[in-house]
Amino acid sequence: QVWLTKLQGERPKKSLISVSHTWVIDPTWKKNMNRCVALLIFYISITSAFSSPPSFLRSSSSKPVVSIRGGSTELKMSEISAGFKLPDVTLKEGQANYEKPVDVNLSDLLKGKKVAIFGVPGAFTPGCSKSHLPSFITAQEELKAKGVDLTICVATNDAYVMEAWGSSSGGAEAGIRFLSDANAELARALNLVIESPVMVRCGRFSLIAEDGVVTNYFSAAENSSNTWAPNVLSSL
């Protein structure tokens, strides 16, 4: 309900009834309204500077949706697609006998090659160790027959853990290279970061890239098995 002031020759009086006179918003009310607007703008600027925008300003489409499937964490959000140029990031590769991990520049590694890359939420986790990784171990010969020069497994575990997983699983012996994305640089570039209280994880995926450009991308958003080697092979 807005208080109005009747403009007459005498001192303005507050009234709720409109007649055949000119009416304007009471100056006191306008002053208070301006203060409210100023406070709202101040609140939005402060929250934007130190955190995410207020919930009423955020678009629901920008929120990633995380679900738990089969003991592993899967990510449902806007992922990359064919034609995406893989980022120029540096990953770590663990060495035998606990030697110091070495840097591996992804762009240099992919240059001039047709490569299969698959990412997992975590080394030694059930779904990754029982299904995703074994599917690529057994598919190495078929992938090579399809022109794939190299297969890479990535996760956000540190390089020592990745080396141990590769050695104990038989993946390294099969020719797969196990690279650590400990800083989640690759995961973030692929829109696949999963934040957790323990560590930042990478959503499950697989892809084929030629000379660093993605030609085929396989998401786990609908089903984890979509990222396993048989599905990758069927598209080549």
Side-chain angles (χ1 to χ4, degrees):
Q1 191 175 41
V2 180
W3 285 89
L4 301 177
T5 300
K6 183 170 61 176
L7 295 181
Q8 293 179 323
E10 72 275 9
R11 182 181 177 181
K13 298 178 181 179
K14 292 181 178 179
S15 173
L16 290 176
I17 303 175
S18 173
V19 290
S20 61
H21 299 279
T22 303
W23 302 81
V24 296
I25 298 175
D26 181 71
T28 304
W29 185 89
K30 288 177 65 177
K31 186 176 182 180
N32 291 335
M33 187 63 181
N34 289 337
R35 288 176 178 174
C36 291
V37 172
L39 286 173
L40 179 60
I41 295 173
F42 175 74
Y43 167 74
I44 293 173
S45 63
I46 292 298
T47 54
S48 298
F50 294 99
S51 63
S52 60
S55 59
F56 62 89
L57 295 177
R58 290 197 300 262
S59 169
S60 59
S61 62
S62 65
K63 297 180 181 179
V65 179
V66 180
S67 63
I68 306 298
R69 182 186 297 119
S72 63
T73 308
E74 302 295 345
L75 191 67
K76 296 179 180 180
M77 66 181 298
S78 178
E79 299 178 37
I80 66 166
S81 58
F84 179 81
K85 174 70 174 178
L86 291 172
D88 184 21
V89 297
T90 298
L91 307 177
K92 295 281 188 180
E93 185 171 30
Q95 304 299 300
N97 301 316
Y98 307 105
E99 294 293 326
K100 182 180 178 180
V102 299
D103 291 343
V104 177
N105 181 271
L106 186 62
S107 295
D108 291 343
L109 181 61
L110 303 181
K111 187 178 297 184
K113 300 185 185 72
K114 183 175 183 179
V115 179
I117 304 176
F118 65 99
V120 297
F124 294 104
T125 56
C128 309
S129 298
K130 293 180 179 180
S131 303
H132 202 171
L133 173 57
S135 74
F136 276 91
I137 293 176
T138 58
Q140 283 303 290
E141 292 303 319
E142 292 176 87
L143 286 168
K144 291 175 182 176
K146 296 281 189 177
V148 175
D149 301 301
L150 175 67
T151 300
I152 301 169
C153 174
V154 296
T156 56
N157 298 95
D158 66 53
Y160 295 101
V161 173
M162 292 298 287
E163 192 280 329
W165 192 37
S167 298
S168 62
S169 65
E173 184 179 355
I176 299 173
R177 293 184 67 171
F178 289 75
L179 304 182
S180 167
D181 182 28
N183 294 325
E185 293 181 79
L186 179 59
R188 293 187 193 282
L190 300 178
N191 294 328
L192 287 172
V193 166
I194 301 174
E195 303 284 355
S196 76
V198 179
M199 61 182 290
V200 177
R201 295 186 182 274
C202 176
R204 191 182 306 281
F205 75 93
S206 292
L207 62 81
I208 299 294
E210 293 189 34
D211 200 24
V213 178
V214 176
T215 57
N216 304 80
Y217 182 78
F218 308 90
S219 170
E222 296 298 326
N223 199 310
S224 294
S225 62
N226 290 340
T227 64
W228 298 352
N231 191 49
V232 174
L233 282 167
S234 67
S235 70
L236 298 178

